[in-house]
Amino acid sequence: GPKAPPAMPSMEDFAIPPEEMVNLPPTPDRSYQIIWPIHESFSMKTEGFRVIYPSYLDSTKSCKEGRRLAKEKSVPTPTCSDISLALQSMQVRHVLQ
């Protein structure tokens, strides 16, 4: 007689085990505001600007790796957005580049 079609795999056969899943970092908070019009940043004179790299404030880095603050005054893995939010909270004009 006629042969039965082969069994179709179930959705469970395609499931990725949790230890093999890719875990993306959390989406950054985009609710922060730019303090002044962005077009103003194109005409600014940047000679007097200070540069703050996230590694300067990173408590997970050593001084040899670029940390410039004491470990107890640093924070783990800061982002440019974190630094921008901190500067905004102190009403410091700044440019993210």
Side-chain angles (χ1 to χ4, degrees):
K3 292 187 178 180
M8 295 291 292
S10 68
M11 290 305 291
E12 288 79 30
D13 295 334
F14 295 106
I16 299 171
E19 64 275 2
E20 292 179 24
M21 288 186 172
V22 174
N23 295 312
L24 298 175
T27 304
D29 178 18
R30 304 219 188 272
S31 64
Y32 60 88
Q33 305 167 20
I34 295 176
I35 295 179
W36 69 91
I38 193 71
H39 69 275
E40 190 178 317
S41 64
F42 299 120
S43 62
M44 287 181 170
K45 302 226 182 298
T46 58
E47 298 88 43
F49 278 28
R50 303 278 186 240
V51 177
I52 303 173
Y53 292 103
S55 61
Y56 291 179
L57 315 171
D58 192 341
S59 64
T60 65
K61 299 216 181 277
S62 67
C63 289
K64 285 185 177 181
E65 293 172 313
R67 180 174 45 81
R68 292 191 178 185
L69 287 181
K71 199 166 226 170
E72 55 275 357
K73 293 185 178 182
S74 303
V75 294
T77 58
T79 64
C80 290
S81 295
D82 295 334
I83 296 169
S84 179
L85 287 170
L87 292 170
Q88 285 182 44
S89 72
M90 296 182 289
Q91 298 180 349
V92 175
R93 290 177 61 150
H94 61 283
V95 175
L96 286 179
Q97 194 174 19

